[in-house]
Amino acid sequence: IGKKAGEAVTEQDARDYYQKNIKDYDVPEQAHARMIVAASEDEARQIKKKLNVRNFPDMAREVSLSPERKNGGDLGYFARGDMPREFEDVVFKLKAGEISQVVKTEYGYHIFLLEGRRSGRRLEFEEVKDRIMDRLRADRVERGVAAWMDSLKKNTKITIREDLL
C-alpha cells in the first residue's frame, strides 16, 4: 500500500490490506455473562439459593458489590484473556442460561449467569472495509504531513541570533 499521500484509497487497497493482515480479523469465541459479587461465602450462598435466570439481573442490582450492579451484573461479551482467569474458567464451562456455583477470587465471592455465546469467526471483508479504508486514509495523511514537515525542516533557513538572547 505504498501510494502517495494525495492519492485516493481504493477498495482494492483495502482488500490488499485485509489479505496481508487477515489474522487481525479473527474474533475468538466470546461469552456474555452476568455477575453478582458478595463479601462473604455465606452471603453468596444465601443469594444463590434465591437466584434463577429471570431474577438474576434484579438480584444483582439489589445485592451485588460490583460496579456492574447498576446494569444487572451485565459483563457484556468477552473472550478468553479479557477477564480474570477465575472468571473465564467458570463462565466458559457453563451452558447458556446456567448459573454457576459460588466462586472465590481476590475480589470477593462471585456467582455468574451465562447469557449466551458467540462462536469464534473471521470478520468478512465487507464488515471491515470502511474501517480499513479510514485507516489507510489516515495513514496516508499522516505520511503526507510527515513528508511536508521534513521538507520544511530541510528548506527553512534558521538563524540563531545569540546577541538577542
Side-chain angles (χ1 to χ4, degrees):
I1 324 274
K3 292 198 174 194
K4 293 180 184 171
E7 292 184 37
V9 173
T10 66
E11 186 171 317
Q12 188 58 50
D13 295 334
R15 281 188 190 284
D16 292 345
Y17 181 90
Y18 176 80
Q19 289 303 320
K20 287 178 184 169
N21 299 281
I22 195 81
K23 292 286 185 200
D24 292 348
Y25 301 102
D26 288 344
V27 178
E29 175 189 23
Q30 297 178 322
H32 179 199
R34 291 182 183 272
M35 170 179 74
I36 293 175
V37 180
S40 72
E41 185 173 8
D42 186 51
E43 182 185 355
R45 291 191 187 288
Q46 293 304 314
I47 293 167
K48 174 124 170 67
K49 288 178 185 176
K50 300 174 190 171
L51 275 178
N52 61 53
V53 174
R54 283 196 290 295
N55 74 1
F56 198 102
D58 292 332
M59 289 288 287
R61 279 189 270 287
E62 284 178 37
V63 301
S64 184
L65 300 176
S66 76
E68 295 83 14
R69 75 180 279 166
K70 64 182 176 236
N71 297 326
D74 195 351
L75 298 171
Y77 278 96
F78 57 90
R80 291 185 189 274
D82 292 345
M83 293 285 187
R85 182 152 187 154
E86 302 97 333
F87 292 18
E88 295 170 2
D89 287 347
V90 173
V91 170
F92 280 92
K93 289 179 183 172
L94 295 174
K95 295 178 181 132
E98 189 176 6
I99 297 173
S100 74
Q101 295 301 315
V102 173
V103 178
K104 181 181 189 253
T105 75
E106 64 182 284
Y107 308 106
Y109 293 85
H110 305 263
I111 306 166
F112 297 96
L113 164 65
L114 180 64
E115 293 275 346
R117 293 181 193 274
R118 288 185 194 156
S119 299
R121 68 186 189 94
R122 175 165 289 152
L123 297 173
E124 297 295 327
F125 173 72
E126 288 302 321
E127 294 176 85
V128 296
K129 176 178 78 171
D130 292 341
R131 197 173 3 158
I132 291 171
M133 291 181 81
D134 288 346
R135 179 182 186 159
L136 293 176
R137 284 184 200 103
D139 287 351
R140 288 191 185 160
V141 167
E142 190 175 314
R143 283 194 310 271
V145 168
W148 176 65
M149 291 299 290
D150 285 345
S151 74
L152 285 177
K153 289 175 189 175
K154 288 177 188 170
N155 298 322
T156 302
K157 182 179 178 184
I158 298 174
T159 305
I160 297 175
R161 302 250 339 249
E162 292 192 24
D163 59 318
L164 295 176
L165 296 177

